[in-house]
Amino acid sequence: MFGKTRDPVCAAKVSKHSRYFSIYGKRTYYFDCPACRATFEEKPERFSGKGKDKSFLERLAGGDDVRAPKSCHDMKH
Ligand SMILES: [Zn+2]
């Protein structure tokens, strides 16, 4: 899937042309809104899958029943 990725904070599909992105651990993460980017940048290790805990997206891909963390979509913007 070229050109599309997922917002690691809220799991929304997001284009790699998104204006909102952050580079962490040699990877670029894309976000659907500045609120998600701000959440990621507060604690990037929580979303990147670094460390011993799987990232939200890895748990999602692994079929775990995970609930999206509190995200931009809980807010009006
Ligand atoms: Zn989002």
Side-chain angles (χ1 to χ4, degrees):
M1 286 221 304
F2 184 72
K4 286 269 178 184
T5 183
R6 274 187 183 243
D7 181 324
V9 177
C10 69
K13 288 197 174 100
V14 58
S15 162
K16 287 188 177 174
H17 299 292
S18 174
R19 290 184 281 165
Y20 312 114
F21 63 91
S22 184
I23 296 167
Y24 177 76
K26 294 185 182 167
R27 275 193 63 183
T28 308
Y29 297 86
Y30 298 87
F31 309 94
D32 62 344
C33 69
C36 279
R37 184 177 61 186
T39 303
F40 177 85
E41 287 182 342
E42 265 176 39
K43 266 191 163 269
E45 69 278 6
R46 214 176 116 196
F47 301 104
S48 67
K50 283 191 169 250
K52 58 187 172 182
D53 290 330
K54 284 184 177 176
S55 73
F56 170 62
L57 287 183
E58 282 172 329
R59 286 185 286 136
L60 196 72
D64 288 7
D65 184 20
V66 288
R67 191 175 288 211
K70 197 168 171 61
S71 76
C72 59
H73 305 290
D74 298 326
M75 304 177 242
K76 293 204 169 93
H77 67 87

